[in-house]
Amino acid sequence: MCSSSLSVAKESFFLLAPLELLRSEDVKNITSIEELEKVKIDEQFIRYCIGEYKPAIITDNLFSFFRFTEKQAYLIIIDKRIDSTSELQRYNFYGLLDTYGKGKIVISSSTLTSEQIKKSINLTNVLINQGQTFILELFQLHTDYDESQDWWMHDVIYEIIVASYQDSNNDGIGDIQGLRQRLDYIQSLGVNTIWLTPIYTSPWKDYGYDISNFCDIDSRFGTLDDFRILIDDVHSRQMRIIIDFVPNHTSNEHPWFQAALHNDPKYIDYYIWHKGKNNGKELPTNWLGASGQRMWTFSSERNMYYLHQFLDCQPDLNFRNENVLDEIEKIFRFWLDLGIDGFRVDAVRHLIENDQYHDEPLSKDAKDMDPNIMYVAYDHTESADQSGSYELVQRWRKFLDKYAYENNRNYIVLITEAYTVDIKKVMRYFGNNREERGSDIPINFLITYYLDKDENEKHGLELDKVLSDWQSNLPEYAWSNWCLGSHDSHRITSRLPSKELIDGFYMLLLLQSGTALIYYGDEIGMCDRPFTLANSDEIVDITAFNYGEKYFDKMIRDRQRTPMQWTSQEANAGFTSSTVKPFLPLSDTWHELNVEQQQNALRSHLKLFQQLVKLRQQAPFYGGYQKKVIATKELYAFIRWLDTNIYLIVININKKGHDPIINDFTKLLKYQNKELFGEVIARSCNILDDSLIGKEGNQINLNNLILQSSEAIVLKLLTCPSNISFCQQ
């Protein structure tokens, strides 16, 4: 096959395509059709000239195509650029040919190292230098779990607020050493990637999202040396660590902003300033920020207004200043040099504003809310989702690709948070096409938005709508993702029609195709803790005070950020010492709802979560096909299949008190025979042990499947997908 000394003329690669289908522009800069007709195909190339031909990505700079049979497939890639100064180019070939997900170089026009020959290349991330030409032997996504996809595609990503996870030094706030103490637990979940909310130096007026030093650790959490040790610990377990990155703004205590206030010429334009209207007597625009304040605050030092899309202590950076862009890339590099595996970039839709500074119109729902404090009262046509924000994400993706290539690093993931219900705007963060890539994971908040609906709208048809909207709008070159909640949304268990439904939503999160993101504590079904304005000394989230009594309960975020509940055997749930007051009160449920209790229980949310994480590591869940079977107000069901395996997942959406749901899945799936059976693989905790579906291994007749309210089940069908007509449609 291939050796480090093998080098083949570039023209030969074109001969693997049918000459009669080639155009002169396809071979431009390399050769001509006439010259190719004179060339005889090299013997070592004949083995790759198999089966069918299919074009892949064809541009002025690239010609690529597949040769494939039912059992083998090759991707031939020819870079036609002749300018030696051309940049490293990334292409995404994923989804162009069946479920092929990775490949290895088997032949090249240039000499390769043994390391390059051995390395698997993910088809979402093929990096090509000027003039490179090679053949990839392709492998199906499902061939092997660990090798099937890049780590970020099949891992479960576990979000942690470090302050709320584990206190190691008894000061009432979680820290890096405390997190290290809990790595065994995190690993026991089957989670391989942890995502940390901000741990940078900060005045901590917004949970660390107000940053005064991007290149150091806040002393609340430890030191840079502590963090280096954490990275080593995580990597030694074959796990990965990503961190929140907050480029939109800094703290007003950041040296850059302080220098700008004092008219330092280097830093004045690091931020966005405006003289205001009517000689400074009026705000520049009517823009309302996402933290319940107008976006402009007057600076007496400069006699101008500065922009802040969030709190007035979080001035926005000016990304039209090339020096700011350079600073951001230095910060990226600092953390990458420490060994970070990726970034979750905060608030990307707010990065760029229209610099014409037009007012924004009220939304159609504004009549139902206070436009002086509620962000959603406006259509943010001027201050959100501007074209420049998408371009910045693409720039940063290129920077990370180049860093990984030059430093021989594994893939560096780029996750983005764009909190908007407009799905088309979210999809744009994936990038423009297969060449101009952006975010790997623009977080999918659609299930979160579904849970924000009124109680009478939280039914199966609405659920089907949000799931279908995401899947139908997903670009063919993009990888899906699913999320139940985060630090910015109330706990999922507190928003479901029934708390027992958490198990069914685990199945949606973990068994659909795509990356799964889970918020700490959701694996045990943690609930919100109520806060009141009367007990203001308990409140950490100062943004809540901007909303007044009417909106306070809806807008306060402390509810979902309470300390992790480890045990009922120790004070403060094992989060911190019994003699210490936690920085934020614990949820009242910690005595009966905690990790230890669920680890010791015969069945629990935690044990089901762990079971489903293991299940998703099997085909067809990480590389197979998916299709909705039925969606009604009461029920949602879908199937996953690949090769000889097919699974049915059924969720009863109803609250307690409703009649059981009975369905004939033999008919729904259009099975060829009269009876279809399924084996119980996993079931929700509220399914009684003595019911027909109450034990794993039980075989159930699917002609008459009965589910009680809020029950959910995973069944392996005792037949092949080829016998299910529904799979063939």
Side-chain angles (χ1 to χ4, degrees), residues 237-248:
R237 296 165 181 261
Q238 307 306 309
M239 297 168 63
R240 292 173 177 85
I241 182 169
I242 62 179
I243 57 174
D244 246 333
F245 186 59
V246 190
N248 180 71

Side-chain angles (χ1 to χ4, degrees), residues 21 65 174-175 242 278 283 339 359 404 595:
L21 297 180
F65 57 93
D175 47 52
I242 62 179
N278 192 16
L283 297 177
D359 283 351
V595 170

Side-chain angles (χ1 to χ4, degrees), residues 450 459-471 628-632 635-637 653:
Y450 162 80
H459 53 68
L461 292 176
E462 279 295 321
L463 178 63
D464 174 45
K465 183 178 184 304
V466 300
L467 299 179
S468 299
D469 280 353
W470 178 265
Q471 291 158 342
K628 175 186 70 179
V629 178
I630 184 174
T632 67
L635 199 76
Y636 186 82
I653 308 292

Side-chain angles (χ1 to χ4, degrees), residues 595-718:
V595 170
E596 184 181 52
Q597 173 263 327
Q598 295 201 16
Q599 285 175 331
N600 293 334
L602 191 62
R603 295 171 61 195
S604 67
H605 299 311
L606 175 60
K607 287 191 171 180
L608 177 65
F609 181 85
Q610 292 169 314
Q611 181 184 8
L612 294 174
V613 171
K614 288 182 180 178
L615 185 59
R616 91 183 242 111
Q617 296 173 3
Q618 302 174 23
F621 294 108
Y622 67 83
Y625 302 99
Q626 176 176 333
K627 192 175 183 181
K628 175 186 70 179
V629 178
I630 184 174
T632 67
K633 277 199 167 185
E634 299 81 16
L635 199 76
Y636 186 82
F638 64 100
I639 53 172
R640 298 296 310 274
W641 78 94
L642 189 70
D643 296 337
T644 59
N645 295 317
I646 179 168
Y647 290 79
L648 172 67
I649 298 92
V650 188
I651 305 165
N652 184 332
I653 308 292
N654 278 337
K655 295 190 289 188
K656 285 183 179 178
H658 289 77
D659 292 334
I661 304 295
I662 305 172
N663 278 102
D664 182 352
F665 279 94
T666 304
K667 185 177 294 185
L668 287 169
L669 293 170
K670 299 182 179 179
Y671 184 52
Q672 296 175 0
N673 299 324
K674 291 183 178 180
E675 290 186 320
L676 175 62
F677 288 84
E679 178 186 342
V680 176
I681 301 298
R683 80 277 194 218
S684 57
C685 296
N686 58 337
I687 293 178
L688 300 176
D689 289 341
D690 58 0
S691 73
L692 289 175
I693 55 175
K695 283 187 171 58
E696 277 89 357
N698 283 5
Q699 294 187 4
I700 310 301
N701 190 326
L702 298 185
N703 295 48
N704 194 34
L705 180 64
I706 302 173
L707 280 186
Q708 304 291 335
S709 298
S710 302
E711 290 183 345
I713 192 167
V714 181
L715 297 159
K716 183 175 183 180
L717 304 190
L718 303 180

Side-chain angles (χ1 to χ4, degrees), residues 241-437:
I241 182 169
I242 62 179
I243 57 174
D244 246 333
F245 186 59
V246 190
N248 180 71
H249 50 263
T250 70
S251 164
N252 60 353
E253 297 181 25
H254 195 289
W256 298 343
F257 190 71
Q258 289 299 307
L261 288 178
H262 292 89
N263 291 304
D264 185 321
K266 178 179 178 181
Y267 294 105
I268 284 176
D269 290 334
Y270 270 44
Y271 297 89
I272 298 170
W273 301 90
H274 198 291
K275 292 180 180 179
K277 296 178 181 176
N278 192 16
N279 294 320
K281 295 176 182 178
E282 297 178 25
L283 297 177
T285 67
N286 71 339
W287 298 352
L288 185 77
S291 296
Q293 296 177 335
R294 292 293 170 184
M295 288 191 197
W296 299 98
T297 290
F298 188 74
S299 163
S300 57
E301 291 94 335
R302 295 207 63 216
N303 201 33
M304 296 180 78
Y305 294 90
Y306 65 88
L307 179 75
H308 53 91
Q309 293 235 21
F310 294 89
L311 290 171
D312 55 7
C313 62
Q314 296 168 302
D316 273 34
L317 287 167
N318 176 15
F319 282 104
R320 290 185 170 89
N321 183 336
E322 194 67 31
N323 291 329
V324 171
L325 293 170
D326 290 343
E327 297 276 14
I328 293 300
E329 291 180 359
K330 288 176 186 175
I331 297 165
F332 273 134
R333 186 175 295 276
F334 175 85
W335 294 102
L336 290 169
D337 287 348
L338 285 180
I340 284 297
D341 298 294
F343 300 90
R344 177 265 192 190
V345 184
D346 183 63
V348 292
R349 63 189 302 249
H350 305 286
L351 294 171
I352 295 282
E353 299 78 23
N354 185 340
D355 59 3
Q356 298 304 302
Y357 301 113
H358 303 301
D359 283 351
E360 294 184 324
L362 290 170
S363 73
K364 64 180 185 303
D365 300 320
K367 65 182 185 301
D368 299 322
M369 59 191 71
D370 186 343
N372 293 308
I373 55 176
M374 296 304 291
Y375 184 76
V376 292
Y378 293 86
D379 288 332
H380 296 280
T381 55
E382 309 298 312
S383 62
D385 302 306
Q386 303 295 298
S387 59
S389 296
Y390 299 106
E391 291 165 7
L392 280 174
V393 172
Q394 292 174 34
R395 173 180 174 137
W396 293 335
R397 179 65 270 169
K398 284 185 177 180
F399 174 83
L400 297 179
D401 287 339
K402 185 177 180 182
Y403 180 94
Y405 186 86
E406 291 176 348
N407 292 274
N408 197 28
R409 285 279 302 271
N410 286 329
Y411 193 74
I412 299 166
V413 71
L414 181 64
I415 302 172
T416 51
E417 181 246 8
Y419 220 84
T420 173
V421 296
D422 190 330
I423 191 169
K424 293 191 182 301
K425 290 179 179 177
V426 176
M427 293 297 171
R428 282 188 65 190
Y429 286 101
F430 277 114
N432 296 336
N433 49 49
R434 292 184 177 275
E435 302 155 64
E436 298 172 298
R437 300 291 292 120

